[in-house]
Amino acid sequence: MRTFPSAAIAPIPRSFASALTAALLLAGIAATSQAIAAEKTPPIETRAVTVTVLSFNLWHDKGDWPKRRAMIVAEIKRLKPDVIALQEVLQRDGLRNQAEDLAAALGYRVQFVSVDPADAARRYGNAILTRKRTEAREMRKLEPLDDYRTAAHARLRPGTPRTHIDVYATHLHNDRAGGAIRARQVSSLLNFIDATAQGSYVIVAGDFNSNADSPELRALATRYRDAYGSAHPDASANIAAHTTLNPAYLPAQRIDHVFYDPIGFELVEARVVLKQNQDGVWPSDHFGLLVKLRTRPKLVTLRASPN
């Protein structure tokens, strides 16, 4: 039988082995040091920031839209909200998408949502306008789907570490006897929030076609706080003084709301705006609702930077 010599394996030089051992030892020490440093890095408190939200039902193109548009643009320029939630936004032949038009005039970024196809000539829906770029934009068709209602979501990052503000805009069923439908839409909206929000900095704004303390909004009001009602404890007892519907067109009622998570925010102010007429022309059949919130500082731990 023919045999073959075994392959010879050259021994590792002692100097190389020593260097390799030293490198591995140093790497282990460095990793351990970084882990210890991370554990010992004290949490820092985030800086409080304010965010101003305007919720406004545009009333699509009813009345003298060119004059109403000029009034709306002038007032929003004066108010300077960070976020605008718009309802009853329309586009059609001869009418540019109203949210896009207002955003261009004001220097805002726009997110328009609708159940109408993107290539349709006529589209109707809601919008979120923001002064700064958003990190996320999403939409959800609210159940029941045959009511054609939507919710828009935009995530803002106001410039402080680990602070993301999730804003939701919606417009619920409008039939006064449609409480069961609105309750179902609220449930669908809350599911959407649970699937997309990244913490307790949550704001929900829009035309809810119902009082803030109504049974159909209970699930929402249990989790979030009604900003205007918190700022004006007499709002429910004196609707005429606190209506968000324009009495020139509709019976007084407070159905436009901004809800916020009280864990993440403290309320600074809430007031009705866009309620002045010019020569008998009003901005809308709704008034606007302006709410200013301040984030509550929270402790966050930042990972130690490697050397």
Side-chain angles (χ1 to χ4, degrees), residues 30-50:
T32 302
S33 298
Q34 289 178 18
I36 293 173
E39 290 179 1
K40 291 185 176 181
T41 300
I44 64 169
E45 188 173 71
T46 59
R47 177 174 54 87
V49 296
T50 59

Side-chain angles (χ1 to χ4, degrees), residues 68 161 187 229 235 288:
R68 293 201 299 115
S187 177

Side-chain angles (χ1 to χ4, degrees), residues 86-108:
L86 295 178
Q87 305 88 48
E88 293 194 13
V89 177
L90 177 66
Q91 74 174 52
R92 57 168 173 75
D93 289 336
L95 178 70
R96 182 183 180 184
N97 183 290
Q98 291 173 299
E100 295 176 357
D101 179 39
L102 291 175
L106 294 164
Y108 282 62

